[in-house]
Amino acid sequence: MIKLVGVSPIEAYWIIEYMDNAKKEIGVHDFDLVVVRGEENLKRVLGRFWTPESSQFYALHIAMDKPTVIVRLDVPNRDLLESSIYHELAHAKLHGHRRFYEIGVPREVLSLGDIAPRVLYLVSIAVKDYEVSSFLSSVGLAKTQDPLLKIMLEPDNIPWSSLSPSALILALASKLKPIMFSLPLIGPKTVLDRMKDVPRRFLEWAIDKSSQLRGDTVSNIRYMAKEFANFLSSPL
């Protein structure tokens, strides 16, 4: 099914044509496509799946009744949009079931209090991005991620030493996404060299734990979330 929201068929034509080729390369066929323009329309499409990060993404994948890829036509950079299409189609192939999005908060993470669900969410999107980048690399499509990789490697200039305890935890959890997205594409040495804005001990920890992911997606998320909570027990 293809749904257009705030977009004319003529405007959406190139996206539909581009996705037709990308889905063949990735090997995913059973999914819905939504092409949308405008943040309010995006919120309506996502409904209960909307998060504060949603408006930052160029395209998104969610597991509704079936895998659903949402492409934002209001993204001005076509290279980033095309890169995101490959990324989200890989999510549709690997993470198209609701069980990958309905994961209970591990006991260790619950100890973080009110921010525990948020931490689990940030860890989960990082783990799934790691799996997507690993998959795209394994099928010879790593270069499709170059525009997104460039964005992921840009420093955030986070004032680590002045953050409150809760803000520090959330900032670290949010950095897992660019770290884990990048690792399968450029390797740990380059990640260490390029991500100098991230506390070194945390970066080394993330690289080590990512290398140990072996199970299914849900197990990987729960493992990474527990290890993240354990990491927080010692100072940066």
Side-chain angles (χ1 to χ4, degrees), residues 6 40 62 96 99 108 134 146 152 176 188 200 213 233:
E40 290 306 313
I62 52 175
R99 74 184 185 91
E108 293 87 346
S134 297
D146 282 355
M152 294 289 183
L176 281 173
R200 180 79 177 198
L213 298 181
S233 64

Side-chain angles (χ1 to χ4, degrees), residues 115 163-170:
I115 63 172
L163 295 178
S164 69
S166 291
L168 176 60
I169 292 170
L170 292 173

Side-chain angles (χ1 to χ4, degrees), residues 6-170:
V7 177
S8 72
I10 293 175
E11 291 175 305
Y13 178 76
W14 79 265
I15 289 176
I16 296 169
E17 188 176 55
Y18 188 81
M19 289 195 75
D20 191 51
N21 178 66
K23 73 182 184 183
K24 292 173 184 174
E25 288 192 285
I26 289 173
V28 59
H29 303 283
D30 188 22
F31 66 93
D32 289 338
L33 169 64
V34 181
V35 185
V36 62
R37 174 187 280 115
E39 189 162 346
E40 290 306 313
N41 284 335
L42 178 64
K43 286 183 179 181
R44 282 196 292 273
V45 168
L46 288 174
R48 68 183 181 88
F49 295 99
W50 187 86
T51 69
E53 286 78 25
S54 298
S55 60
Q56 301 172 20
F57 298 146
Y58 311 108
L60 306 91
H61 167 264
I62 52 175
M64 292 182 169
D65 294 328
K66 65 187 332 184
T68 301
V69 175
I70 301 167
V71 179
R72 300 184 60 190
L73 200 59
D74 46 353
V75 174
N77 188 316
R78 180 160 172 162
D79 287 342
L80 278 173
L81 196 55
E82 291 178 352
S83 186
S84 297
I85 285 171
Y86 271 89
H87 183 83
E88 302 306 334
L89 283 173
H91 275 306
K93 181 178 179 68
L94 300 178
H95 310 126
H97 195 279
R98 285 189 179 183
R99 74 184 185 91
F100 299 122
Y101 300 85
E102 298 173 349
I103 301 169
V105 181
R107 174 178 52 82
E108 293 87 346
V109 181
L110 282 173
S111 67
L112 300 177
D114 293 343
I115 63 172
R118 181 87 180 135
V119 167
L120 178 63
Y121 168 74
L122 293 170
V123 171
S124 70
I125 62 174
V127 169
K128 284 180 278 191
D129 273 10
Y130 179 84
E131 293 180 344
V132 160
S133 291
S134 297
F135 168 75
L136 291 173
S137 295
S138 73
V139 296
L141 294 172
K143 294 297 289 181
T144 66
Q145 299 304 283
D146 282 355
L148 280 175
L149 178 63
K150 183 178 179 181
I151 296 294
M152 294 289 183
L153 292 174
E154 290 180 353
D156 288 329
N157 298 316
I158 296 171
W160 297 102
S161 61
S162 62
L163 295 178
S164 69
S166 291
L168 176 60
I169 292 170
L170 292 173

